[in-house]
Amino acid sequence: MPTFDIVSKIDGQTLDNAVNTAKKEILNRYDFHDSKSTIELDKKTNTLTVVTENDMRLKAIQDSIIGRMVKQQLDPNALDFGKEQYASGNMIRKEIKIKEGIDKEAAKKIVKTIKDSGLKVQASIMDDQVRVQGKKIDDLQAVIALCRKDDFGQPLQYINMRD
């Protein structure tokens, strides 16, 4: 029986390259001259920490990171922008979480969308991914097309297509 998995993963090395390129871009900008802004990627906890002086610079850094991610073919929907916190002095800190894996709510929404479509497939939630089974590969490809049309709040990849 043909199957495939729906997952939400982001390539760590490509993300690291995008963040490093954004850092270089920010350091070379004239409006960031004499700035104490920092961008740090913690690969263990999948968080990106931005510390800067004001909201304008914070917005510019976020835009730079998003732009670099798009150029590296990474989906910026994988970023979860939290609230700004005031760090020591006049600095602003922002923690940006990188979403990995499909959370329970999104998985339930994906399964419901697949079941409501009327296609003859079974979708089941397995940890942080959704497995889809069907008798025909054409039905599985229809499910992929259906999921690509819908927005589930995070980037989706379709892997492990087996016959």
Side-chain angles (χ1 to χ4, degrees):
M1 194 170 227
T3 64
F4 76 93
D5 297 330
I6 302 173
V7 297
S8 179
K9 292 183 180 174
I10 195 158
D11 183 28
Q13 185 60 47
T14 310
L15 178 67
D16 192 34
N17 291 344
V19 169
N20 287 335
T21 310
K23 272 188 208 177
K24 287 179 187 172
E25 184 180 295
I26 291 295
L27 291 175
N28 292 330
R29 285 178 50 169
Y30 181 75
D31 57 338
F32 279 85
H33 189 68
D34 292 335
S35 172
K36 296 180 185 92
S37 301
T38 61
I39 305 170
E40 294 174 12
L41 175 64
D42 187 2
K43 293 180 184 176
K44 286 188 173 47
T45 60
N46 270 347
T47 57
L48 194 59
T49 306
V50 177
V51 179
T52 190
E53 288 91 2
N54 56 34
D55 288 332
M56 182 200 72
R57 287 187 175 163
L58 183 64
K59 179 81 171 113
I61 291 172
Q62 285 178 206
D63 291 344
S64 177
I65 291 170
I66 289 172
R68 286 292 149 194
M69 285 183 71
V70 168
K71 285 185 180 177
Q72 298 270 350
Q73 278 92 33
L74 294 173
D75 194 339
N77 285 337
L79 299 178
D80 184 19
F81 295 99
K83 290 180 119 177
E84 295 95 21
Q85 303 161 348
Y86 289 93
S88 62
N90 60 348
M91 303 295 273
I92 299 173
R93 168 185 283 134
K94 187 161 193 169
E95 299 252 331
I96 303 169
K97 290 186 174 59
I98 299 155
K99 296 185 230 173
E100 286 262 335
I102 300 174
D103 58 2
K104 292 292 181 195
E105 294 302 314
K108 287 178 184 176
K109 189 176 174 186
I110 291 169
V111 170
K112 184 177 182 330
T113 302
I114 292 170
K115 287 187 178 180
D116 291 346
S117 70
L119 294 168
K120 294 185 178 181
V121 295
Q122 291 85 36
S124 57
I125 301 171
M126 299 174 59
D127 293 333
D128 60 350
Q129 66 184 22
V130 176
R131 172 147 303 158
V132 181
Q133 299 179 20
K135 289 186 179 178
K136 298 181 190 168
I137 289 187
D138 292 342
D139 290 341
L140 298 182
Q141 290 172 339
V143 168
I144 292 173
L146 178 75
C147 289
R148 283 198 173 133
K149 278 194 298 187
D150 236 335
D151 180 32
F152 296 105
Q154 55 192 119
L156 300 177
Q157 291 86 33
Y158 310 96
I159 62 170
N160 295 339
M161 179 73 95
R162 296 196 183 113
D163 217 357

